[in-house]
Amino acid sequence: MTEERVREAYARIWAPFLDENAVWGGSGPGDPVRGPADPPAEIDVLTSQIAEFRRRKEAAVDAQEYTRAALIRDEEKEVVRRRSELIREWAATVDPVDLAEAVVSLRAEVAALRRI
């Protein structure tokens, strides 16, 4: 890691915060630009699937349909396993400085939102 790479990462992450004319997101509303520390979109899809499996599993338990809940649980476990695998693959490719800068940036955004 060089000082130059740290400065480049810092400038890339903070540029939109410092430029009042910066255009946020991608080509339209709800289409964010993915940065170097962002996980692949497939991980987001799997995360959504896990949430849906959990919702369906809870509904099955509430309806006392335990066999169906068990089948849903098994499907959920497979998606959780695949997501974990993808996260590990992605993590091996991420520059730690980019990731650290993204975490710092997100923490600052969360703090600002809490003050609103």
Side-chain angles (χ1 to χ4, degrees):
M1 187 55 50
T2 65
E3 183 178 341
E4 181 180 335
R5 286 192 68 193
V6 171
R7 289 182 189 279
E8 287 172 1
Y10 180 86
R12 183 177 58 251
I13 290 170
W14 282 100
F17 295 101
L18 303 174
D19 182 1
E20 293 176 357
N21 300 316
V23 176
W24 289 79
S27 59
D31 185 20
V33 173
R34 298 185 79 78
D38 288 329
E42 187 177 356
I43 291 173
D44 294 338
V45 170
L46 293 175
T47 300
S48 296
Q49 287 178 357
I50 292 166
E52 178 61 20
F53 280 126
R54 290 181 178 162
R55 186 198 61 74
R56 289 177 41 215
K57 182 176 63 179
E58 289 174 12
V61 169
D62 289 345
Q64 297 183 357
E65 297 174 354
Y66 302 114
T67 302
R68 191 177 76 150
L71 292 172
I72 294 169
R73 180 203 59 217
D74 293 344
E75 291 178 90
E76 175 192 354
K77 282 184 177 181
E78 179 58 28
V79 174
V80 167
R81 185 202 58 74
R82 177 66 181 138
R83 181 177 169 270
S84 178
E85 183 179 284
L86 286 176
I87 289 171
R88 290 178 189 282
E89 290 172 8
W90 164 69
T93 67
V94 177
D95 182 341
V97 173
D98 287 342
L99 192 55
E101 290 289 345
V103 169
V104 169
S105 175
L106 287 172
R107 289 177 62 91
E109 284 185 59
V110 168
L113 289 170
R114 286 184 175 159
R115 288 190 294 267
I116 292 177

